[in-house]
Amino acid sequence: MSLAREVIRQGKKDLRVCGQGVLELDLWLAAGLVKKLDITYIGLEVYGIPPSLRRAVESGQVETCVEWSNASITWRMKATAMGVPFLPARSMLGTDMLKHSAAKVVEDPFTGIKVALLPALVLDVALIHVQRADKYGNCQIEGISGFAVEMSRACKRLIISAEEIIPTEEIRKYPDRTIIPYFLVDAVVHAPFGSYPGEMAYMYGRDEKGIKEWVDMSSTEEGAKKYLEKYVHSVPDHAGYLNLIGDKLLKEAVKNRERRE
Amino acid sequence: MDILESGIGELIQPFDMDEFREWNRTQKSRKLVDKRMSQKPLTVSSRMAAILVLNFMEPCVPR
């Protein structure tokens, strides 16, 4: 979220966005940054389809929205990581999702079954938020890692934001957890509470009221602009955002974190 | 190879796999250099950005 807010603050435009989006992508849509979508899931979870998405698509601001299953977009990135132009899969076959994707169906020359060919996805820039990284970019993730492994290997530039920057000696104590090695990473940004108002596994829980505030305000274009002004444009950076949120809410989020015991 | 069916979606990021492989060989350094920076120099071109905020959607399952 901290990187997503900074992208808005810097006024980037005409982005082609790939991946999966919840609040962070909804903010980009409301801010008018997005031109094209190559997307798996986009929504506000229990709150449903975001009004900002609907406005952006219906107004023509988003020129095209190409759909993929979670598995297929992951395997598209995996194809890139493998250096091959496509991977065959059975994901999306027999669904309208395949119709709205850019996949192609062929007959497998070995068995004769139908397979969907998923084109490689080469990203210019990827943004990934992790729990821990060292200054070189070695990253460790706890909890669900999504398609971070594949994405980190399918992009030309990789920007990491990390809850904690820790010594390399600490990273080396648990090498099996380093799922993104340093040589893939171009920049490391220290961003405590970088996923706020979303959660970070085992570190802090989500601020449901904070998310509901966006849901309510983004029901109108004017409300969405007010939200962006308050939480993005009126603060100079992530530190300013955290000051705006205040210690009380941040401590509450830590208290509500998912626990292992 | 015969194409039996094609999706109507646009391939919004045409790719050159050889160019990407060369990029990794020539633009990704193996040197251990301090890569810490603030958010301000962050550059996202008007080309493609990919986003993933990890764990945002993780269900709160007690463990």
Side-chain angles (χ1 to χ4, degrees):
Chain A
M1 286 301 304
S2 62
L3 293 180
R5 283 187 288 265
E6 181 60 27
V7 170
I8 296 171
R9 218 172 273 124
Q10 293 191 16
K12 304 301 178 186
K13 292 284 183 188
D14 298 333
L15 297 178
R16 290 176 288 160
V17 178
C18 155
Q20 184 186 75
V22 194
L23 182 58
E24 74 288 359
L25 181 50
D26 210 27
L27 296 185
W28 282 11
L29 287 162
L33 273 56
V34 182
K35 190 175 183 181
K36 296 186 177 184
L37 287 170
D38 217 11
I39 208 80
T40 58
Y41 172 87
I42 175 168
L44 290 170
E45 304 185 79
V46 296
Y47 302 109
I49 297 174
S52 297
L53 170 66
R54 186 175 291 283
R55 282 194 296 272
V57 172
E58 291 180 350
S59 69
Q61 172 200 314
V62 171
E63 296 176 358
T64 185
C65 184
V66 187
E67 298 183 24
W68 303 90
S69 66
N70 281 311
S72 62
I73 210 158
T74 304
W75 293 329
R76 292 184 64 199
M77 295 179 204
K78 188 173 181 66
T80 304
M82 293 170 66
V84 296
F86 63 84
L87 279 183
R90 301 180 84 171
S91 180
M92 302 193 298
L93 287 173
T95 72
D96 276 355
M97 183 174 280
L98 186 137
K99 183 181 171 186
H100 293 281
S101 76
K104 294 185 184 298
V105 179
V106 300
E107 184 181 287
D108 167 33
F110 298 103
T111 66
I113 65 170
K114 285 183 179 178
V115 290
L117 304 186
L118 309 173
L121 180 55
V122 181
L123 306 161
D124 291 319
V125 184
L127 313 176
I128 300 179
H129 186 59
V130 304
Q131 275 102 343
R132 283 180 298 282
D134 69 8
K135 63 183 179 182
Y136 304 122
N138 290 302
C139 301
Q140 298 184 338
I141 297 173
E142 291 186 52
I144 293 172
S145 58
F147 38 68
V149 171
E150 291 81 7
M151 179 181 274
S152 64
R153 289 152 176 82
C155 58
K156 290 183 175 177
R157 293 294 182 207
L158 174 56
I159 300 169
I160 294 292
S161 59
E163 293 287 333
E164 297 176 312
I165 307 290
I166 63 173
T168 303
E169 291 71 30
E170 289 299 311
I171 291 277
R172 286 176 175 159
K173 284 181 183 175
Y174 307 97
D176 54 309
R177 293 183 186 172
T178 308
I179 67 170
I180 301 174
Y182 75 96
F183 56 82
L184 298 173
V185 176
D186 294 283
V188 179
V189 178
H190 184 210
F193 292 97
S195 188
Y196 192 89
E199 75 262 32
M200 202 64 190
Y202 315 119
M203 301 188 83
Y204 49 89
R206 60 193 288 157
D207 175 0
E208 203 60 49
K209 283 184 183 173
I211 293 170
K212 186 66 165 54
E213 184 180 0
W214 166 252
V215 173
D216 292 340
M217 292 184 75
S218 66
S219 63
T220 65
E221 193 172 348
E222 188 181 58
K225 283 180 181 171
K226 281 183 181 174
Y227 182 98
L228 291 173
E229 181 56 35
K230 179 180 178 183
Y231 290 108
V232 181
H233 296 299
S234 75
V235 292
D237 51 27
H238 184 54
Y241 172 79
L242 294 183
N243 283 336
L244 177 65
I245 297 299
D247 283 346
K248 187 182 172 189
L249 286 178
L250 296 178
K251 284 178 181 173
E252 188 73 14
V254 172
K255 190 178 165 187
N256 293 333
R257 71 187 182 279
E258 186 182 357
R259 295 167 195 271
R260 290 194 170 95
E261 63 271 16
Chain B
M1 186 176 286
D2 293 333
I3 305 297
L4 304 177
E5 188 180 347
S6 292
I8 60 173
E10 177 188 354
L11 190 62
I12 70 171
Q13 178 78 335
F15 57 89
D16 180 335
M17 197 52 65
D18 288 337
E19 188 260 341
F20 182 67
R21 286 162 66 84
E22 184 179 349
W23 175 278
N24 278 295
R25 282 196 303 273
T26 60
Q27 304 295 318
K28 292 283 188 181
S29 172
R30 264 60 175 171
K31 290 180 181 172
L32 285 170
V33 294
D34 190 343
K35 295 168 184 165
R36 287 173 294 178
M37 62 176 65
S38 75
Q39 290 183 342
K40 287 301 172 190
L42 173 70
T43 300
V44 175
S45 71
S46 60
R47 300 177 71 193
M48 174 171 279
I51 58 173
L52 171 64
V53 177
L54 291 175
N55 301 323
F56 192 92
M57 297 174 64
E58 183 164 20
C60 293
V61 181
R63 298 183 185 184

